[in-house]
Amino acid sequence: MQYRTVPKNGDSLSALGFGAMRLPTRRGHVDEERATRLIRTAIDQGVNYLDTAFSYHGGESEKILGRILKDGYREKVKLATKLPPWNVHTREDMDKVLSIQLKRLQTENIDYYLLHSLNAASWKKFTDLGVFEFLESARDAGLITNIGFSFHGDRKTFREIIDAYDWTFCQIQYNFLDEENQAGKEGLLYAASKNVAVMVMEPLRGGSLAGKIPKEARNHYERSGRPWSAAAWGLSYVWNHPEVTVVLSGMNDEAHLAENIAICEMATPGFLSGKDIGVINDVRDSFLQKMKIGCTGCSYCMPCPFGVNIPMCFYYYNQYHMLEEKIMTRGFYSLQLMGGMGSPAHASLCRECGRCVSNCPQNIDIPKELKNVSKTMDGWQTKLVFMVAKRMFGTNVKDE
């Protein structure tokens, strides 16, 4: 395992961190047995930084981690979780949330504590409510150790936040498609210049930079001569930056865990050649030419009061435009979102209430984009594919 040092406290953290936002699920619930096996295997192989949050998996993520980290595993890791602005309305709420988190996680101390999903509005809300007094009081009481924040705003706000406090660390979205989005590369370099450790989330943009990628992008990778997967390319790009301390990956599959550990061991700072960077630049261009909606699948827009599964709608819409298997994409869209495998959750259910818009870290005009998704994906073509798919899968489609 590769380790990198946090400048302000000297902690040696695994360059690969385990993100607990997308734990393996079964029948709509976290598969705790499999999650336990995955996370403990990761720790046994050297991963020592685990990241969760108050709201992940509807509040279950923290509880499950608390159980997973029994039997001596808690002592082997640095544990990170977050204070959510949407659950905090008074100074007292901060203490209440932290108390709940400590109980859920079955620990007396949280090693790395973040203000969650800061942007200009949530930053102002926290500061108006006296968040620094809370953080320092909790630290003095030994309830938390290191203070940081995660970020989903603009670069101007990011600089303002970095300069406002003596942060130990921050967490930003960064990958080869997001060099100019949110904090971006400018923010990465600025934080590092202040000796603030940078934890990177969405290194593969919710998986859209790995797996089934555009044919043009795949061709660029194949011509490179490197026998790497798309995931290896994407993760290597982030680890190539010496300013990055930890890369968080939501590893919900044993094969993903094994591959990510192998990539981490080789992808040290400056590992990529100039030719490699050129390949990634070409791949970036291929994605940007085809991707319609910059959704990472973070699910902060959920739940929708009308039942729309917004991230999945955007995922299949992007897949439809980026990939060549359009009939297959319609089939999966219909089965998963038009009632084939549960309650209907397709785009045309949107009633444009706008509740989702303010929660979107990517500032997507969600109702407008859902109209586009509905126009493309909810028509007679998809309904026809749905009928065929139901016939192919028989009467047990909902149990698949």
Side-chain angles (χ1 to χ4, degrees), residues 57-117:
H57 285 288
E60 291 299 308
S61 178
E62 289 179 331
K63 296 176 186 178
I64 290 168
L65 272 187
R67 293 191 287 268
I68 290 174
L69 293 178
K70 289 181 177 181
D71 305 322
Y73 279 90
R74 174 67 184 93
E75 291 72 31
K76 298 179 180 181
V77 300
K78 299 297 184 182
L79 186 57
T81 193
K82 310 175 186 75
L83 180 70
W86 45 88
N87 290 102
V88 170
H89 307 288
T90 67
R91 165 66 180 79
E92 291 72 26
D93 287 342
M94 301 178 194
D95 294 298
K96 292 177 183 176
V97 169
L98 176 56
S99 177
I100 293 169
Q101 291 175 304
L102 291 166
K103 183 178 180 180
R104 285 177 175 177
L105 290 163
Q106 302 185 44
T107 188
E108 296 180 353
N109 168 270
I110 294 167
D111 303 290
Y112 285 77
Y113 198 65
L114 303 89
L115 304 183
H116 197 175
S117 194

Side-chain angles (χ1 to χ4, degrees), residues 259-279:
E259 181 184 30
N260 286 5
I261 289 174
I263 299 165
C264 183
E265 290 174 348
M266 74 174 185
T268 53
F271 168 74
L272 295 179
S273 68
K275 179 183 176 182
D276 294 331
I277 298 298
V279 170

Side-chain angles (χ1 to χ4, degrees), residues 21-22 117-118 149-153 155 158 170-188 198-206 208-209 237-238 244 246-248 291 294-300 360-364:
M21 185 172 79
R22 299 184 179 101
S117 194
L118 291 189
F149 66 94
S150 68
F151 186 76
H152 283 296
R155 290 194 290 277
F158 182 78
C170 67
Q171 186 168 307
I172 66 171
Q173 178 174 313
Y174 190 69
N175 53 68
F176 65 70
L177 281 186
D178 285 322
E179 289 204 315
E180 301 299 327
N181 296 334
Q182 301 187 30
K185 188 166 187 177
E186 177 186 314
L188 169 66
V198 179
M199 315 322 193
V200 167
M201 56 184 157
E202 304 291 358
L204 298 176
R205 245 179 178 245
S208 63
L209 303 186
Y237 177 79
V238 181
V244 171
V246 172
V247 173
L248 295 169
M291 185 176 287
C295 173
T296 68
C298 70
S299 296
Y300 291 145
C360 178
Q362 316 303 325
N363 298 312
I364 297 168

